[in-house]
Protein backbone atom coordinates (compact mmCIF):
# COMPACT_ATOMS: atom_id res chain seq x y z
CA UNK A 1 0.00 0.00 0.00
CA UNK A 2 1.54 3.39 -0.95
CA UNK A 3 1.80 6.00 1.79
CA UNK A 4 2.92 9.60 1.92
CA UNK A 5 4.81 10.20 5.17
CA UNK A 6 5.55 13.62 6.68
CA UNK A 7 8.51 13.90 9.06
CA UNK A 8 9.20 16.99 11.14
CA UNK A 9 12.90 16.76 12.03
CA UNK A 10 12.73 19.39 14.76
CA UNK A 11 15.41 21.01 16.88
CA UNK A 12 13.84 19.74 20.11
CA UNK A 13 11.14 17.35 18.92
CA UNK A 14 10.39 15.18 15.89
CA UNK A 15 6.99 13.95 14.79
CA UNK A 16 5.57 11.76 12.03
CA UNK A 17 2.26 11.75 10.16
CA UNK A 18 1.06 9.75 7.20
CA UNK A 19 -1.79 9.26 4.74
CA UNK A 20 -2.79 6.53 2.34
CA UNK A 21 -1.94 7.77 -1.14
CA UNK A 22 -4.02 5.16 -2.95
CA UNK A 23 -6.69 6.34 -5.41
CA UNK A 24 -9.52 4.96 -3.28
CA UNK A 25 -8.22 6.32 0.05
CA UNK A 26 -10.20 8.81 2.16
CA UNK A 27 -7.39 11.39 2.34
CA UNK A 28 -7.23 11.33 6.13
CA UNK A 29 -3.92 12.22 7.80
CA UNK A 30 -2.91 10.20 10.84
CA UNK A 31 -0.18 10.67 13.44
CA UNK A 32 2.33 7.93 14.17
CA UNK A 33 3.06 7.14 17.79
CA UNK A 34 6.76 6.36 18.19
CA UNK A 35 7.96 3.63 20.61
CA UNK A 36 10.93 4.82 22.66
CA UNK A 37 12.59 4.27 26.02
CA UNK A 38 10.93 6.63 28.50
CA UNK A 39 12.59 5.27 31.65
CA UNK A 40 15.27 2.61 32.19
CA UNK A 41 13.78 -0.67 30.93
CA UNK A 42 10.45 0.95 30.03
CA UNK A 43 9.27 1.45 26.44
CA UNK A 44 6.16 3.47 25.59
CA UNK A 45 4.57 4.90 22.46
CA UNK A 46 4.73 8.70 22.41
CA UNK A 47 3.26 11.15 19.88
CA UNK A 48 6.65 12.74 19.25
CA UNK A 49 10.32 11.82 19.45
CA UNK A 50 12.42 14.33 21.43
CA UNK A 51 15.48 15.28 19.37
CA UNK A 52 18.06 14.17 21.93
CA UNK A 53 20.73 11.50 21.73
CA UNK A 54 22.32 10.14 24.91
CA UNK A 55 25.76 8.57 24.42
CA UNK A 56 26.24 7.37 27.98
CA UNK A 57 28.74 4.71 29.01
CA UNK A 58 27.71 1.34 30.45
CA UNK A 59 28.64 2.55 33.96
CA UNK A 60 26.25 5.49 33.59
CA UNK A 61 23.24 3.77 31.95
CA UNK A 62 22.84 -0.01 31.86
CA UNK A 63 22.81 -1.08 28.17
CA UNK A 64 20.01 -3.62 28.74
CA UNK A 65 17.77 -0.81 30.04
CA UNK A 66 17.82 0.84 26.57
CA UNK A 67 16.42 -2.16 24.63
CA UNK A 68 13.82 -1.40 21.95
CA UNK A 69 11.30 -3.75 20.30
CA UNK A 70 13.51 -3.88 17.19
CA UNK A 71 16.96 -3.61 18.84
CA UNK A 72 17.98 -5.40 22.04
CA UNK A 73 21.26 -3.48 22.37
CA UNK A 74 21.12 -0.04 20.75
CA UNK A 75 24.17 2.21 20.72
CA UNK A 76 22.82 5.02 22.89
CA UNK A 77 19.31 6.26 23.57
CA UNK A 78 17.15 8.53 21.42
CA UNK A 79 14.03 10.36 22.61
CA UNK A 80 12.40 10.79 25.99
CA UNK A 81 14.95 9.03 28.19
CA UNK A 82 17.80 10.87 26.48
CA UNK A 83 16.10 14.21 27.06
CA UNK A 84 15.26 13.50 30.70
CA UNK A 85 18.64 12.03 31.66
CA UNK A 86 20.41 14.84 29.83
CA UNK A 87 20.13 17.15 32.83
CA UNK A 88 22.14 14.61 34.85
CA UNK A 89 24.62 13.70 32.07
CA UNK A 90 24.95 16.87 29.97
CA UNK A 91 28.44 15.87 28.77
CA UNK A 92 26.92 12.76 27.15
CA UNK A 93 23.91 14.49 25.58
CA UNK A 94 23.62 15.55 21.95
CA UNK A 95 21.08 18.34 21.55
CA UNK A 96 20.22 20.99 18.94
CA UNK A 97 21.75 18.92 16.12
CA UNK A 98 19.52 20.74 13.66
CA UNK A 99 21.02 24.09 14.67
CA UNK A 100 24.50 22.67 14.18
CA UNK A 101 23.52 21.54 10.66
CA UNK A 102 23.35 25.18 9.56
CA UNK A 103 26.50 26.32 11.44
CA UNK A 104 28.97 27.18 8.68
CA UNK A 105 31.75 27.78 11.19
CA UNK A 106 32.28 24.08 11.95
CA UNK A 107 32.73 20.88 9.99
CA UNK A 108 29.19 19.55 10.15
CA UNK A 109 30.26 16.08 9.06
CA UNK A 110 32.91 15.79 11.80
CA UNK A 111 32.26 14.18 15.24
CA UNK A 112 31.89 17.35 17.33
CA UNK A 113 28.79 16.55 19.44
CA UNK A 114 28.31 16.63 22.37
CA UNK A 115 30.07 19.96 22.13
CA UNK A 116 32.89 20.05 24.66
CA UNK A 117 34.23 23.37 25.88
CA UNK A 118 37.76 23.52 27.26
CA UNK A 119 36.34 24.16 30.71
CA UNK A 120 34.27 20.98 30.68
CA UNK A 121 36.65 18.53 29.03
CA UNK A 122 38.38 17.66 32.28
CA UNK A 123 35.04 16.72 33.80
CA UNK A 124 33.58 15.10 30.69
CA UNK A 125 36.47 12.72 30.04
CA UNK A 126 36.60 10.57 26.95
CA UNK A 127 33.36 9.62 25.27
CA UNK A 128 31.76 8.97 21.92
CA UNK A 129 31.03 11.96 19.72
CA UNK A 130 29.01 12.19 16.51
CA UNK A 131 28.59 14.75 13.75
CA UNK A 132 25.44 16.88 13.38
CA UNK A 133 24.65 14.83 10.25
CA UNK A 134 25.09 11.54 12.14
CA UNK A 135 22.92 12.75 15.04
CA UNK A 136 20.14 13.75 12.64
CA UNK A 137 20.49 10.39 10.92
CA UNK A 138 20.12 8.61 14.28
CA UNK A 139 16.77 10.33 14.86
CA UNK A 140 15.59 9.43 11.36
CA UNK A 141 16.85 5.85 11.74
CA UNK A 142 14.79 5.51 14.93
CA UNK A 143 11.75 6.84 13.07
CA UNK A 144 12.38 4.42 10.21
CA UNK A 145 12.65 1.48 12.63
CA UNK A 146 9.48 2.58 14.46
CA UNK A 147 7.57 2.81 11.15
CA UNK A 148 8.81 -0.56 9.94
CA UNK A 149 7.82 -2.08 13.30
CA UNK A 150 4.28 -0.72 12.85
CA UNK A 151 4.05 -1.41 9.09
CA UNK A 152 6.25 -4.47 8.44
CA UNK A 153 4.76 -4.97 4.97
CA UNK A 154 5.30 -1.37 3.86
CA UNK A 155 8.82 -0.30 4.88
CA UNK A 156 9.45 3.41 5.15
CA UNK A 157 12.27 3.29 2.62
CA UNK A 158 9.66 2.34 -0.03
CA UNK A 159 7.27 5.19 0.81
CA UNK A 160 7.17 8.80 -0.39
CA UNK A 161 8.72 10.80 2.46
CA UNK A 162 8.27 14.57 2.90
CA UNK A 163 10.99 15.88 5.21
CA UNK A 164 10.66 19.42 6.55
CA UNK A 165 13.35 22.07 6.96
CA UNK A 166 13.24 25.74 8.04
CA UNK A 167 12.40 28.05 5.15
CA UNK A 168 15.59 29.94 6.01
CA UNK A 169 17.90 26.91 5.63
CA UNK A 170 20.53 27.56 2.98
CA UNK A 171 21.42 25.12 0.21
CA UNK A 172 24.20 23.46 2.22
CA UNK A 173 22.04 22.85 5.29
CA UNK A 174 19.33 21.41 3.05
CA UNK A 175 21.79 19.09 1.34
CA UNK A 176 23.17 17.94 4.70
CA UNK A 177 19.60 17.17 5.80
CA UNK A 178 19.19 15.00 2.71
CA UNK A 179 22.54 13.36 3.49
CA UNK A 180 21.29 12.50 6.99
CA UNK A 181 18.17 10.92 5.49
CA UNK A 182 20.26 8.83 3.12
CA UNK A 183 22.47 7.75 6.01
CA UNK A 184 19.31 6.56 7.75
CA UNK A 185 18.35 4.50 4.69
CA UNK A 186 15.77 6.93 3.24
CA UNK A 187 16.27 7.87 -0.40
CA UNK A 188 12.80 8.82 -1.69
CA UNK A 189 12.92 12.23 0.00
CA UNK A 190 11.30 15.57 -0.84
CA UNK A 191 12.11 18.63 1.28
CA UNK A 192 9.32 20.99 2.34
CA UNK A 193 9.65 24.30 4.17
CA UNK A 194 8.20 24.24 7.68
CA UNK A 195 6.04 27.40 7.45
CA UNK A 196 4.39 26.00 4.31
CA UNK A 197 3.91 22.68 6.08
CA UNK A 198 2.21 24.51 8.94
CA UNK A 199 -0.14 26.19 6.48
CA UNK A 200 -0.87 22.87 4.80
CA UNK A 201 -1.78 21.50 8.24
CA UNK A 202 -4.31 24.30 8.58
CA UNK A 203 -5.74 23.53 5.14
CA UNK A 204 -5.93 19.84 6.08
CA UNK A 205 -8.00 20.42 9.21
CA UNK A 206 -10.11 23.28 7.80
CA UNK A 207 -11.16 21.50 4.61
CA UNK A 208 -13.21 23.76 2.34
CA UNK A 209 -13.91 26.08 5.30
CA UNK A 210 -10.59 27.86 4.65
CA UNK A 211 -12.36 29.71 1.84
CA UNK A 212 -14.72 31.19 4.41
CA UNK A 213 -11.91 32.22 6.78
CA UNK A 214 -9.77 33.86 4.08
CA UNK A 215 -10.56 36.21 1.21
CA UNK A 216 -8.74 37.44 -1.87
CA UNK A 217 -6.27 40.10 -0.76
CA UNK A 218 -5.54 38.55 2.62
CA UNK A 219 -1.89 38.14 3.57
CA UNK A 220 -1.14 35.44 6.12
CA UNK A 221 1.87 35.87 8.37
CA UNK A 222 3.24 32.47 9.39
CA UNK A 223 5.02 33.13 12.68
CA UNK A 224 7.06 29.98 13.30
CA UNK A 225 9.23 29.98 16.43
CA UNK A 226 10.57 26.60 17.42
CA UNK A 227 13.36 25.25 19.55
CA UNK A 228 16.21 26.49 17.36
CA UNK A 229 15.01 28.93 14.72
CA UNK A 230 12.62 31.80 14.09
CA UNK A 231 10.99 31.69 10.64
CA UNK A 232 8.70 34.29 9.12
CA UNK A 233 6.80 33.74 5.86
CA UNK A 234 4.02 35.57 4.05
CA UNK A 235 1.36 33.74 2.06
CA UNK A 236 -1.00 35.78 -0.11
CA UNK A 237 -4.58 34.78 -0.93
CA UNK A 238 -5.17 35.53 -4.62
CA UNK A 239 -8.15 35.71 -6.94
CA UNK A 240 -7.60 33.38 -9.89
CA UNK A 241 -10.53 33.88 -12.18
CA UNK A 242 -13.09 33.74 -9.40
CA UNK A 243 -11.31 30.98 -7.46
CA UNK A 244 -9.10 31.55 -4.47
CA UNK A 245 -5.43 30.65 -4.75
CA UNK A 246 -2.44 30.72 -2.40
CA UNK A 247 1.03 32.07 -3.12
CA UNK A 248 4.05 32.25 -0.82
CA UNK A 249 5.42 35.74 -1.44
CA UNK A 250 8.16 36.26 1.14
CA UNK A 251 10.53 34.31 3.38
CA UNK A 252 12.64 35.73 6.19
CA UNK A 253 16.38 35.40 6.69
CA UNK A 254 17.88 32.61 8.78
CA UNK A 255 17.52 33.54 12.46
CA UNK A 256 19.11 31.10 14.89
CA UNK A 257 16.88 32.11 17.76
CA UNK A 258 14.23 30.12 19.59
CA UNK A 259 13.50 27.96 22.59
CA UNK A 260 17.16 27.03 23.08
CA UNK A 261 18.01 30.69 23.68
CA UNK A 262 15.19 30.98 26.17
CA UNK A 263 16.51 27.99 28.10
CA UNK A 264 19.95 29.62 28.22
CA UNK A 265 18.46 32.90 29.44
CA UNK A 266 16.53 31.17 32.23
CA UNK A 267 19.62 29.22 33.27
CA UNK A 268 21.64 32.46 33.32
CA UNK A 269 19.03 34.05 35.60
CA UNK A 270 19.13 31.14 38.05
CA UNK A 271 22.94 30.97 37.95
CA UNK A 272 23.07 34.64 38.95
CA UNK A 273 20.78 33.98 41.91
CA UNK A 274 22.90 31.05 43.02
CA UNK A 275 26.06 33.16 42.70
CA UNK A 276 24.51 35.79 44.94
CA UNK A 277 24.18 33.06 47.58
CA UNK A 278 27.80 32.05 47.16
CA UNK A 279 27.12 28.95 45.05
CA UNK A 280 29.18 28.70 41.86
CA UNK A 281 28.55 26.19 39.08
CA UNK A 282 31.05 24.26 36.99
CA UNK A 283 30.74 24.14 33.20
CA UNK A 284 29.01 20.75 33.42
CA UNK A 285 26.63 21.95 36.11
CA UNK A 286 25.78 24.99 34.01
CA UNK A 287 24.90 22.76 31.07
CA UNK A 288 22.81 20.59 33.37
CA UNK A 289 21.02 23.72 34.57
CA UNK A 290 20.16 24.63 30.97
CA UNK A 291 18.52 21.25 30.38
CA UNK A 292 16.66 21.46 33.71
CA UNK A 293 15.35 24.91 32.76
CA UNK A 294 14.12 23.56 29.43
CA UNK A 295 11.98 20.94 31.14
CA UNK A 296 10.69 23.42 33.71
CA UNK A 297 9.92 26.06 31.04
CA UNK A 298 7.76 23.64 29.08
CA UNK A 299 5.73 22.84 32.19
CA UNK A 300 5.44 26.46 33.37
CA UNK A 301 4.16 27.67 29.98
CA UNK A 302 1.56 24.92 29.74
CA UNK A 303 -2.10 25.20 30.73
CA UNK A 304 -2.74 24.94 34.48
CA UNK A 305 0.95 25.44 35.19
CA UNK A 306 2.10 25.47 38.83
CA UNK A 307 3.42 28.67 40.40
CA UNK A 308 6.96 27.29 40.49
CA UNK A 309 9.03 24.17 40.00
CA UNK A 310 12.10 22.95 41.92
CA UNK A 311 15.44 22.77 40.10
CA UNK A 312 18.14 20.39 41.37
CA UNK A 313 21.72 20.18 40.05
CA UNK A 314 23.96 17.31 41.14
CA UNK A 315 27.11 18.16 43.10
CA UNK A 316 30.67 17.49 42.00
CA UNK A 317 33.15 14.77 42.89
CA UNK A 318 32.68 13.01 46.21
CA UNK A 319 29.76 15.30 47.05
CA UNK A 320 27.76 14.12 44.03
CA UNK A 321 24.57 13.56 46.05
CA UNK A 322 25.11 15.45 49.27
CA UNK A 323 26.34 18.47 47.35
CA UNK A 324 23.19 18.80 45.23
CA UNK A 325 22.37 22.45 44.52
CA UNK A 326 18.71 23.36 44.70
CA UNK A 327 16.74 26.36 43.53
CA UNK A 328 13.40 26.99 41.86
CA UNK A 329 12.01 28.56 38.72
CA UNK A 330 8.72 30.40 38.98
CA UNK A 331 6.04 30.89 36.37
CA UNK A 332 6.50 34.65 36.83
CA UNK A 333 10.22 34.30 36.05
CA UNK A 334 9.43 32.48 32.82
CA UNK A 335 6.72 34.82 31.65
CA UNK A 336 8.49 38.10 32.42
CA UNK A 337 11.92 37.06 31.15
CA UNK A 338 10.62 35.50 27.95
CA UNK A 339 8.07 38.18 27.15
CA UNK A 340 10.16 41.25 27.91
CA UNK A 341 13.48 39.74 26.83
CA UNK A 342 12.45 37.96 23.63
CA UNK A 343 9.20 39.74 22.69
CA UNK A 344 9.83 43.36 23.76
CA UNK A 345 7.39 46.13 22.93
CA UNK A 346 9.05 47.99 20.05
CA UNK A 347 8.04 50.39 17.30
CA UNK A 348 7.52 49.34 13.70
CA UNK A 349 10.78 51.12 12.83
CA UNK A 350 12.81 48.97 15.25
CA UNK A 351 15.64 46.88 13.84
CA UNK A 352 17.75 44.10 15.36
CA UNK A 353 20.92 45.19 17.12
CA UNK A 354 24.19 44.11 15.54
CA UNK A 355 27.06 42.59 17.54
CA UNK A 356 28.32 45.05 20.11
CA UNK A 357 25.77 47.75 19.28
CA UNK A 358 22.77 49.11 21.11
CA UNK A 359 19.84 51.35 20.19
CA UNK A 360 21.55 54.23 22.00
CA UNK A 361 24.84 53.81 20.17
CA UNK A 362 26.75 52.37 23.11
CA UNK A 363 28.18 48.91 23.49
CA UNK A 364 25.60 46.21 24.11
CA UNK A 365 26.51 43.84 26.91
CA UNK A 366 27.06 40.20 26.00
CA UNK A 367 23.96 38.13 26.72
CA UNK A 368 25.58 34.73 27.18
CA UNK A 369 23.55 33.28 24.31
CA UNK A 370 26.57 31.52 22.78
CA UNK A 371 27.16 29.21 25.73
CA UNK A 372 26.70 26.03 23.70
CA UNK A 373 29.00 27.08 20.88
CA UNK A 374 26.30 27.99 18.35
CA UNK A 375 26.24 31.34 16.47
CA UNK A 376 22.91 32.51 17.83
CA UNK A 377 21.39 35.78 16.65
CA UNK A 378 23.08 38.76 18.31
CA UNK A 379 19.75 40.33 19.20
CA UNK A 380 17.28 38.12 21.11
CA UNK A 381 14.39 40.51 20.41
CA UNK A 382 12.18 38.44 18.09
CA UNK A 383 9.77 41.34 17.63
CA UNK A 384 12.61 43.50 16.25
CA UNK A 385 13.41 40.78 13.71
CA UNK A 386 9.72 40.66 12.79
CA UNK A 387 9.55 44.45 12.32
CA UNK A 388 12.55 44.29 9.98
CA UNK A 389 11.05 41.41 7.98
CA UNK A 390 7.75 43.21 7.41
CA UNK A 391 9.44 46.50 6.52
CA UNK A 392 11.74 44.80 4.01
CA UNK A 393 8.81 43.14 2.23
CA UNK A 394 6.42 46.14 2.39
CA UNK A 395 3.51 43.90 3.30
CA UNK A 396 0.83 44.27 5.94
CA UNK A 397 -0.42 40.91 7.15
CA UNK A 398 -4.13 40.58 7.76
CA UNK A 399 -4.14 37.12 9.42
CA UNK A 400 -1.69 35.20 11.62
CA UNK A 401 -0.88 31.50 11.64
CA UNK A 402 1.15 30.43 14.68
CA UNK A 403 3.59 27.55 14.58
CA UNK A 404 6.37 26.15 16.76
CA UNK A 405 6.37 25.01 20.36
CA UNK A 406 7.34 28.44 21.70
CA UNK A 407 4.10 29.95 20.39
CA UNK A 408 1.99 27.67 22.56
CA UNK A 409 2.35 30.35 25.23
CA UNK A 410 -0.82 32.45 25.18
CA UNK A 411 0.90 35.58 26.52
CA UNK A 412 3.58 35.35 23.84
CA UNK A 413 0.95 35.15 21.09
CA UNK A 414 -0.92 38.11 22.58
CA UNK A 415 2.22 40.24 22.65
CA UNK A 416 2.98 39.65 18.95
CA UNK A 417 -0.66 40.18 17.92
CA UNK A 418 -0.90 43.43 19.91
CA UNK A 419 2.30 44.77 18.35
CA UNK A 420 1.12 43.97 14.81
CA UNK A 421 -2.12 45.84 15.49
CA UNK A 422 -0.19 48.84 16.84
CA UNK A 423 2.31 48.90 13.98
CA UNK A 424 -0.36 48.91 11.30
CA UNK A 425 -2.98 50.88 13.25
CA UNK A 426 -5.72 48.34 12.78
CA UNK A 427 -7.76 46.04 15.04
CA UNK A 428 -6.11 42.94 16.42
CA UNK A 429 -5.44 40.48 13.63
CA UNK A 430 -7.42 37.22 13.63
CA UNK A 431 -5.57 33.93 13.97
CA UNK A 432 -6.04 30.73 12.03
CA UNK A 433 -6.65 28.09 14.69
CA UNK A 434 -7.24 24.40 15.07
CA UNK A 435 -3.77 22.91 14.56
CA UNK A 436 -1.58 21.24 17.17
CA UNK A 437 1.58 23.35 17.26
CA UNK A 438 3.69 20.31 18.20
CA UNK A 439 2.41 18.12 15.37
CA UNK A 440 1.29 20.58 12.69
CA UNK A 441 4.46 20.45 10.59
CA UNK A 442 4.47 16.67 10.13
CA UNK A 443 0.70 16.61 9.48
CA UNK A 444 1.05 19.41 6.95
CA UNK A 445 3.92 17.60 5.24
CA UNK A 446 1.81 14.45 4.87
CA UNK A 447 -1.06 16.53 3.48
CA UNK A 448 1.35 18.11 1.00
CA UNK A 449 2.15 14.58 -0.12
CA UNK A 450 -1.52 14.16 -1.00
CA UNK A 451 -1.48 17.53 -2.77
CA UNK A 452 1.35 16.25 -4.96
CA UNK A 453 -1.01 13.47 -5.96
CA UNK A 454 -3.64 16.02 -6.99
CA UNK A 455 -5.77 15.83 -3.82
CA UNK A 456 -5.80 19.28 -2.25
CA UNK A 457 -4.89 22.90 -2.91
CA UNK A 458 -1.29 23.78 -3.56
CA UNK A 459 0.57 26.85 -2.30
CA UNK A 460 2.43 28.39 -5.19
CA UNK A 461 5.79 29.85 -4.36
CA UNK A 462 8.68 27.71 -5.51
CA UNK A 463 12.18 28.54 -4.34
CA UNK A 464 12.44 30.91 -1.39
CA UNK A 465 15.50 32.56 -2.88
CA UNK A 466 17.10 33.43 -6.18
CA UNK A 467 20.32 31.44 -6.66
CA UNK A 468 23.44 32.55 -8.48
CA UNK A 469 26.81 31.20 -9.60
CA UNK A 470 29.64 33.69 -9.13
CA UNK A 471 31.67 34.36 -12.26
CA UNK A 472 34.78 36.55 -12.45
CA UNK A 473 34.38 39.35 -14.96
CA UNK A 474 36.68 39.25 -17.99
CA UNK A 475 38.58 42.48 -17.26
CA UNK A 476 42.26 43.40 -17.67
CA UNK A 477 44.40 42.43 -14.68
CA UNK A 478 45.14 45.33 -12.32
CA UNK A 479 47.87 44.86 -9.68
CA UNK A 480 46.42 44.75 -6.17
CA UNK A 481 42.81 44.36 -7.28
CA UNK A 482 40.90 41.07 -7.64
CA UNK A 483 38.67 40.76 -10.72
CA UNK A 484 35.08 41.72 -9.90
CA UNK A 485 32.58 38.89 -9.49
CA UNK A 486 29.16 38.98 -11.15
CA UNK A 487 26.25 36.71 -10.39
CA UNK A 488 24.76 34.46 -13.05
CA UNK A 489 21.17 33.65 -11.98
CA UNK A 490 20.58 29.91 -12.36
CA UNK A 491 17.30 29.65 -10.42
CA UNK A 492 15.03 32.70 -10.08
CA UNK A 493 12.99 33.47 -6.97
CA UNK A 494 9.79 31.43 -6.94
CA UNK A 495 10.94 28.79 -9.42
CA UNK A 496 8.39 26.00 -9.16
CA UNK A 497 9.20 22.33 -8.63
CA UNK A 498 9.53 20.46 -11.92
CA UNK A 499 10.02 23.59 -14.03
CA UNK A 500 13.11 24.66 -15.98
CA UNK A 501 14.66 27.95 -17.06
CA UNK A 502 17.04 28.78 -19.88
CA UNK A 503 20.34 30.11 -18.55
CA UNK A 504 21.73 32.80 -20.89
CA UNK A 505 24.29 31.35 -23.26
CA UNK A 506 27.32 33.14 -21.88
CA UNK A 507 30.82 32.09 -22.95
CA UNK A 508 32.74 31.04 -19.85
CA UNK A 509 36.37 30.02 -19.46
CA UNK A 510 38.30 27.79 -17.07
CA UNK A 511 42.03 27.56 -16.42
CA UNK A 512 43.06 23.97 -17.10
CA UNK A 513 45.13 22.26 -14.40
CA UNK A 514 44.05 24.54 -11.54
CA UNK A 515 41.43 23.98 -8.87
CA UNK A 516 38.26 25.87 -9.76
CA UNK A 517 36.01 27.31 -7.06
CA UNK A 518 32.45 28.21 -7.98
CA UNK A 519 31.01 30.69 -5.50
CA UNK A 520 27.32 30.22 -4.79
CA UNK A 521 25.07 33.12 -3.83
CA UNK A 522 21.43 33.50 -2.80
CA UNK A 523 19.04 36.40 -2.24
CA UNK A 524 15.59 36.66 -0.67
CA UNK A 525 15.01 40.21 -1.96
CA UNK A 526 16.02 40.08 -5.65
CA UNK A 527 12.77 38.75 -7.09
CA UNK A 528 13.06 40.04 -10.69
CA UNK A 529 16.34 38.41 -11.80
Amino acid sequence: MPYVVGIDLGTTNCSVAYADAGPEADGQVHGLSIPQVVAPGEVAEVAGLPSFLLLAGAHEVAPESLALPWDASPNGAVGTLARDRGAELPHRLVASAKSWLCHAGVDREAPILPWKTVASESEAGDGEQVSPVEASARYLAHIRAAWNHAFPGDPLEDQEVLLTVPASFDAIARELTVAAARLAGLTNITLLEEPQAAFYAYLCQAGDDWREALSAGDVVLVCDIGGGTTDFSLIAVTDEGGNLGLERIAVGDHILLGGDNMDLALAHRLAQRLAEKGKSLSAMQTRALVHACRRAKEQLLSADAPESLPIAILGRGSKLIGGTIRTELSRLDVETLLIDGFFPEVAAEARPEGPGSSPTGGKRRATGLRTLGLPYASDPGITRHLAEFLARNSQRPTVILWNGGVMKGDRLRRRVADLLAAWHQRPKLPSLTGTDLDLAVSRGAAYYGLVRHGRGIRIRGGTARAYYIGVEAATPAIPGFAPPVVGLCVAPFGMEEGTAVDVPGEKLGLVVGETAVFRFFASTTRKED
Side-chain angles (χ1 to χ4, degrees):
M1 181 182 297
Y3 290 100
V4 288
V5 183
I7 299 178
D8 175 13
L9 183 63
T11 305
T12 55
N13 198 63
C14 302
S15 63
V16 182
Y18 64 96
D20 183 349
E24 304 301 323
D26 58 8
Q28 295 296 309
V29 175
H30 309 276
L32 177 72
S33 295
I34 304 173
Q36 57 199 274
V37 180
V38 296
E42 181 183 347
V43 174
E45 293 189 356
V46 184
L49 178 74
S51 306
F52 297 87
L53 169 62
L54 187 65
L55 300 171
H59 64 288
E60 294 166 320
V61 178
E64 62 272 14
S65 69
L66 305 180
L68 292 162
W70 54 84
D71 189 350
S73 55
N75 179 23
V78 169
T80 301
L81 176 71
R83 180 194 64 192
D84 294 346
R85 288 297 304 276
E88 303 167 21
L89 302 168
H91 56 299
R92 307 292 190 217
L93 183 68
V94 176
S96 304
K98 183 175 178 179
S99 296
W100 288 97
L101 273 183
C102 60
H103 186 357
V106 300
D107 183 351
R108 289 161 276 187
E109 297 181 273
I112 59 173
L113 302 178
W115 183 257
K116 292 186 173 79
T117 63
V118 173
S120 65
E121 283 179 352
S122 60
E123 296 176 284
D126 295 330
E128 181 187 0
Q129 287 182 282
V130 298
S131 70
V133 173
E134 167 68 19
S136 302
R138 296 277 281 268
Y139 306 146
L140 291 171
H142 186 105
I143 289 171
R144 175 190 174 193
W147 172 277
N148 293 348
H149 180 71
F151 298 90
D154 298 288
L156 186 58
E157 51 268 33
D158 294 339
Q159 310 309 313
E160 182 180 340
V161 176
L162 294 307
L163 183 59
T164 64
V165 294
S168 55
F169 255 22
D170 63 18
I172 296 175
R174 290 169 189 249
E175 183 58 33
L176 290 174
T177 303
V178 173
R182 291 176 181 149
L183 197 59
L186 303 176
T187 56
N188 187 15
I189 293 289
T190 299
L191 297 183
L192 175 66
E193 295 167 7
E194 290 165 5
Q196 286 200 67
F199 199 93
Y200 278 122
Y202 166 74
L203 294 175
C204 177
Q205 65 86 25
D208 289 337
D209 291 344
W210 77 270
R211 302 177 189 276
E212 302 297 326
L214 297 170
S215 305
D218 275 332
V219 176
V220 181
L221 167 65
V222 183
C223 184
D224 182 0
I225 306 175
T229 56
T230 290
D231 255 349
F232 301 123
S233 291
L234 294 174
I235 297 175
V237 183
T238 59
D239 185 344
E240 300 179 351
N243 296 318
L244 293 182
L246 298 168
E247 180 180 3
R248 196 274 317 282
I249 57 175
V251 172
D253 293 332
H254 184 71
I255 307 173
L256 197 61
L257 181 63
D260 284 353
N261 305 76
M262 299 176 187
D263 302 337
L264 287 167
L266 293 171
H268 182 66
R269 171 71 62 85
L270 293 186
Q272 285 181 321
R273 289 180 183 171
L274 290 170
E276 292 169 359
K277 298 178 181 179
K279 298 179 180 179
S280 62
L281 301 179
S282 69
M284 275 185 60
Q285 287 176 315
T286 300
R287 293 169 74 178
L289 180 60
V290 172
H291 294 298
C293 285
R294 185 202 68 248
R295 288 191 293 175
K297 176 201 69 181
E298 293 171 354
Q299 295 181 58
L300 292 171
L301 283 176
S302 63
D304 302 320
E307 290 299 319
S308 64
L309 286 172
I311 302 289
I313 306 298
L314 291 179
R316 291 176 282 182
S318 61
K319 296 183 178 180
L320 189 62
I321 302 300
T324 297
I325 298 175
R326 302 183 186 277
T327 184
E328 69 174 24
L329 186 66
S330 71
R331 184 172 61 185
L332 183 62
D333 284 333
V334 172
E335 291 182 343
T336 55
L337 183 60
L338 299 193
I339 291 175
D340 295 333
F342 290 88
F343 296 86
E345 290 185 339
V346 298
E349 297 76 27
R351 297 294 180 266
E353 302 171 21
S357 67
S358 74
T360 58
K363 284 290 184 181
R364 183 175 56 82
R365 294 181 62 188
T367 58
L369 294 180
R370 298 175 185 265
T371 302
L372 298 183
L374 286 165
Y376 292 122
S378 298
D379 188 339
I382 291 173
T383 45
R384 281 189 283 270
H385 291 282
L386 176 58
E388 180 184 50
F389 167 71
L390 294 176
R392 186 170 67 241
N393 290 283
S394 303
Q395 294 285 343
R396 291 190 176 188
T398 59
V399 186
I400 308 174
L401 176 65
W402 310 108
N403 192 52
V406 170
M407 299 317 297
K408 290 190 293 185
D410 181 64
R411 290 188 61 185
L412 304 183
R413 295 196 304 270
R414 287 206 309 268
R415 170 59 62 88
V416 174
D418 289 344
L419 281 175
L420 287 170
W423 292 346
H424 300 142
Q425 297 181 347
R426 60 174 59 181
K428 190 171 181 178
L429 274 61
S431 301
L432 300 177
T433 59
T435 58
D436 184 324
L437 299 190
D438 287 325
L439 306 176
V441 168
S442 60
R443 292 183 63 84
Y447 179 77
Y448 173 66
L450 294 176
V451 170
R452 284 164 55 91
H453 287 267
R455 300 164 63 184
I457 184 168
R458 187 165 190 157
I459 302 170
R460 292 186 292 106
T463 58
R465 293 165 176 76
Y467 292 102
Y468 307 81
I469 294 293
V471 181
E472 284 188 0
T475 58
I478 302 175
F481 292 90
V485 175
V486 298
L488 177 63
C489 185
V490 293
F493 183 94
M495 185 177 179
E496 294 283 356
E497 177 186 355
T499 62
V501 293
D502 289 327
V503 177
E506 301 284 350
K507 291 184 178 180
L508 307 176
L510 290 175
V511 179
V512 178
E514 293 186 11
T515 301
V517 177
F518 294 88
R519 298 179 66 185
F520 194 51
F521 301 94
S523 172
T524 58
T525 57
R526 298 183 64 92
K527 301 181 180 181
E528 305 302 325
D529 293 336

